[in-house]
Amino acid sequence: IFNLCYVCVQHTRVLVNPNNIVNSTLMVGPKSSAPLLYRGVGMSIDSDNALVMSVVHASSSAYSYYTEDKISEYPHAVGKNTVLVAALQARNNARVVFSGSLDLFSDEFMTSSVQGVAAGSKKFDRSANQEFVEALSRWVFKETGVLRHSKVQHHHVGKKTPPEFYYVEENIEYSLVIEENVNGKWQPFKGDGVQLEFHRIDPFVRTALRGNNGVYSVKLQLPDVYGVFQFKVDYRNLGYTYLFSTTQVSVRPKTHRMYERFIPSAFPYYASAFSMMVALVLFSFVFIFHRDDKDKQQ
């Protein structure tokens, strides 16, 4: 890797700009003005793999190649596609961190003073390695960013117990409790962006859940479609474990007693029916009592 060489003939020791670190306090701690001190190799990740994320990447002038060999072909990784530290969070929320440098975690790099080679570069008494390593270690061992949900409830507005089934266009309320593990204790989650989907094959309703001391709830009206639906909450936020909850319910069409006696949109049909009855009475009266003048003369 070559980028801002710092007292290294082989160009493998570099200063990583804080802007090249993922913007997640849970994973890497608060953003520091001091750079990271790094010595190692660069990696590349598969962009089609949604489970892998880049934690630290190199600058636009970096590349990864054998330091002893002459570059005779296109390098394995170039520019910002050169990943220095990567992380993976599996679908079961297992976490793994891949680093191209062991020195990144060493006491030597944590306590070293750093300064860029460019003219006028600021000198820092210590690198940001220690804060970065501590935060990343807590994240990978699931000491931070762990969520859980409980007490999933759904019922009609104004009631407390869930029914056996719902009817279309009814007003209902959905709620669940989300907690975060902070320093070994479960506390109410204070994040936002949690959404609820009322899902059959595709979502018919998608709405935001409002949090109040860890209780996320929303009131909604069911669509005018019957079938087997699911209340689905699929929360994915950088640094947190995946939160997934589904609850299956049945939605039935309205019975004949649940409709209005007279539907305004059907007034033209009512008018046509009554007009036909009146016309039939008039026709019958004329047909029965009408007689031609020739019949009278005879």
Side-chain angles (χ1 to χ4, degrees):
I1 302 169
F2 174 74
N3 176 35
L4 296 179
C5 176
Y6 179 73
V7 194
C8 181
V9 177
Q10 293 184 336
H11 305 304
T12 58
R13 181 185 297 185
V14 297
L15 296 181
V16 180
N17 193 300
N19 295 327
N20 295 348
I21 304 174
V22 65
N23 186 19
S24 174
T25 305
L26 289 171
M27 296 181 65
V28 298
K31 190 172 182 179
S32 174
S33 58
L36 282 179
L37 189 56
Y38 184 93
R39 180 172 60 199
V41 300
M43 302 176 289
S44 62
I45 60 177
D46 186 3
S47 59
D48 295 332
N49 191 343
L51 303 178
V52 181
M53 68 192 84
S54 173
V55 179
V56 181
H57 64 82
S59 66
S60 56
S61 60
Y63 64 87
S64 179
Y65 203 77
Y66 298 104
T67 56
E68 297 84 3
D69 299 343
K70 182 179 179 180
I71 299 179
S72 57
E73 57 184 12
Y74 196 79
H76 180 66
V78 175
K80 294 184 178 180
N81 292 328
T82 306
V83 178
L84 308 181
V85 180
L88 181 145
Q89 183 165 269
R91 292 183 177 87
N92 62 351
N93 288 322
R95 292 171 174 174
V96 183
V97 170
F98 302 91
S99 175
S101 171
L102 290 177
D103 295 326
L104 176 69
F105 303 89
S106 65
D107 294 339
E108 177 187 358
F109 276 34
M110 291 182 184
T111 57
S112 295
S113 59
V114 292
Q115 182 180 14
V117 297
S121 297
K122 183 179 179 180
K123 184 176 181 180
F124 298 89
D125 296 333
R126 295 182 60 180
S127 66
N129 289 43
Q130 182 173 351
E131 293 77 8
F132 172 83
V133 169
E134 289 178 353
L136 189 62
S137 299
R138 288 194 300 268
W139 179 84
V140 74
F141 291 116
K142 285 189 175 182
E143 295 181 5
T144 59
V146 179
L147 301 178
R148 73 175 183 182
H149 69 279
S150 60
K151 299 180 181 179
V152 179
Q153 298 179 352
H154 59 89
H155 48 77
H156 291 102
V157 175
K159 297 184 179 180
K160 298 299 182 182
T161 57
E164 184 180 353
F165 53 85
Y166 292 103
Y167 290 105
V168 296
E169 296 183 327
E170 285 189 320
N171 294 316
I172 65 171
E173 184 175 359
Y174 176 90
S175 65
L176 80 164
V177 175
I178 302 178
E179 297 174 306
E180 179 182 3
N181 193 336
V182 179
N183 297 326
K185 297 182 179 179
W186 292 103
Q187 299 181 4
F189 180 56
K190 300 179 180 179
D192 54 4
V194 184
Q195 292 185 338
L196 169 69
E197 290 184 352
F198 195 62
H199 192 278
R200 194 172 68 177
I201 298 176
D202 295 318
F204 280 76
V205 177
R206 181 183 289 120
T207 182
L209 291 169
R210 295 179 176 86
N212 182 14
N213 196 27
V215 180
Y216 288 78
S217 62
V218 67
K219 296 179 181 180
L220 67 150
Q221 185 182 36
L222 298 181
D224 189 14
V225 180
Y226 58 88
V228 179
F229 288 81
Q230 286 183 337
F231 292 106
K232 181 181 290 186
V233 176
D234 189 3
Y235 182 69
R236 296 170 182 262
N237 197 358
L238 182 63
Y240 289 104
T241 53
Y242 305 136
L243 193 68
F244 185 76
S245 172
T246 58
T247 304
Q248 183 171 294
V249 295
S250 297
V251 179
R252 296 184 178 182
K254 293 181 179 179
T255 63
H256 67 282
R257 294 176 297 178
M258 300 177 67
Y259 287 99
E260 297 179 2
R261 186 65 176 174
F262 294 99
I263 304 174
S265 60
F267 281 168
Y269 301 96
Y270 301 150
S272 65
F274 285 108
S275 65
M276 287 297 295
M277 288 188 288
V278 173
L280 179 62
V281 172
L282 294 176
F283 176 79
S284 301
F285 181 82
V286 172
F287 182 81
I288 295 173
F289 294 100
H290 176 72
R291 188 170 62 175
D292 292 339
D293 294 338
K294 292 181 179 180
D295 295 337
K296 293 180 180 180
Q297 293 176 0
Q298 293 177 356

